[in-house]
Every structure is written in C-alpha cells, then in structure tokens.
Amino acid sequence: MAIKKINNQWKIDFRIGSKRYRHTAKTKLECIQFRDKCIADKDKEAPEKDNRTLRELIDIWYEARGVELADNERTLKNLIRFCEAMGNPIAKEVTARDWHRYKQKKREAGIGDKTLNNMLGYINAVYNFLSRNAIIGYPNPFQPVDKIRIHEKELVFLSNEEIQLLFEDIRKNCKSRHVMMITKICLSTGARWGEIESRKDHHFKNNQVYLTYTKSKKNRIIPLDESLFLEVKQHIREKGEFTNCQESFRRALLRSGVRTVRGQASHVLRHTFASHFMMNGGNIRVLQSILGHADIKMTMKYAKFSKEHLNDAVRLNPLSKMDTSWTLKKKIEVLEN
C-alpha cells in the first residue's frame, strides 16, 4: 500500500485480496479513511474470509493511529516483536490462550510482569481501534485477558538533608555547568528532567516556566520563585542554554549516597517535589495540575504524604476512647523503683 502527495493532492493505491483500489483526495487523512471504508465494506460482505495476518493489522493500525503517539516507533517495534514471537498468525484466529502461552514463555525467559502488561496494552489498543472503526468485523480476542497484578513500586523521595548532600556533590564533582540549575528547577516545579532540559531562554518569562511538547501533549505553565527565576535567566546569559546532562546528574545521585530506587534516577526529583508538596499541606487536585497527570489516580499515590492522610486511624482506633492512663502510671512506678 502506498500513500503519496502529488501536486498538492494525496493519492492512495492498495489491494484487498486480488482487487486493486485507487483514490485521490485533498488530505492524507481522507485517503486513510477511504482505505478503512473499503476494508470495512469488504469485511461486511464476507467477514468469514478475513485472512489478514496480525502484522497486516498492526501496519493498518500504525498508519491510522499509532503514528500519532509520542513513542510511536518504540511501540511499533514492540508490536512487531510480539507478532514475530506469535508466528504472525491470521489475526482473526488469535485467542486468549495464545496470549497465555506467550506470557508463560516470556516469563521463563526473564521478562518482567510490567513489560508483559505493557505489551498486552499495546495489542489491545490495536484490536480495539480496528474494531471501533469497523476495519475488522470481529471482537478483540484479548479483551477477556486481565493484566498481571504487580506490587506497587516503592516511592522514594529525598529529605531536606539528602537534597543538601546531593547539592554538595553536584557543586564539587559535576563537570556539566547545567546540572545544578536543572536540578533546582525540577525540585521547584515537579517537572520531568527532559521537560526542563529542553527549555530555551524564551520559555522562562513572567516568573514562570512554560512547558511544551510534554508527555501528556498538553502545555503547562508553572510559577517560579522570583529569586530562582532571576538565577535561571542569569545562568542562561552567562553559561548558555541547557544541554543534555542527565547522565551527569545520575552519577552525582549515586556518589551522594542517598537512597534511590532502581530505574528512577532524575525522576526522584519529581517524586521529591510532589511528596514535599503534600507534606506541606498542598491540595491533591492542584498537584495533579502541576504534574500534568491526565488521571487523578496517578497523583493519588502522593496523598499518603498529606498530614491529614489517614488521621482517622488515630482518632477512631479501639483505644482512642479508652482511659489508658493507668498503664502510664504503672510504667512510671516501675521506672522509679
């Protein structure tokens, strides 16, 4: 199948079985929609004869939807690996049992449950999209499959003392001139390292940092303390705009000796901001907006750090209304004797 732009028009040329289809439109999207309609119409005529392979469906999904994802290339590679591991079967003939065989094989090879859950999410997205858009005439075979229940990762954040240890190491040992400045901004805003590292001088204005091209694809504006804002502007004037220095930060984190969780590295700064925000009386909804989480469930993991969190455990436990002063008196008597 080919979609090409010729003289300000888009042309598509593809086959379904032995029949060839051609179409010209003003936009690429119209060509894709034409193709999807042709495929859907063909499926309605004889749904039992849909012999397209899983790889063919992945390609159709990718052109229509997958290419729009922020991590589209990585997602496509993962889907292709999955397809190859399954033997590129006829997509209509795949069953939930095929997934469980795949899962068992990958677990024996040492693949983690989180990775397997991600893969299940990817392949579900393919089938669900094609089904919703009538590109296939049968339900998603993986719909009944439940994701593997996994233990929640420990959420580590830095204490004030650990932040000082980190700063000290950065000052003494980091050769990159930008590590300290980016670290300060991340701790002050909860932004991801990459979101700050990519900022230019014009993104800092009016005592705010403007975040664009974020993971959620939504722009965010986060205020900065005036003194930090002036420090950032001076830093950029004297030392230039930020460059890639995440690896330098990771080494500083290891040297400082503060406790971290494998795989977090610079993300510990984001956790630190959010945890301190809640411990200092912040609102969970405001935190959601600052972090740019689309779903409040992602932010709720920080609710436990609120001073008010689970206070009822103290107020409503069985001993809360009992007079236990006699036990204190006994302890005092023992100590005095």
Side-chain angles (χ1 to χ4, degrees), residues 74-93:
R74 183 180 64 85
T75 302
L76 179 61
K77 287 178 182 177
N78 286 329
L79 283 167
I80 291 173
R81 288 195 201 100
F82 172 76
C83 180
E84 291 171 350
M86 295 277 287
N88 192 24
I90 300 298
K92 188 178 181 180
E93 297 175 0

Side-chain angles (χ1 to χ4, degrees), residues 295-309:
D295 191 339
I296 189 64
K297 292 177 183 176
M298 299 177 68
T299 321
M300 285 304 296
K301 62 187 175 185
Y302 300 109
K304 65 176 73 73
F305 296 107
S306 170
K307 291 179 180 178
E308 303 302 319
H309 182 69

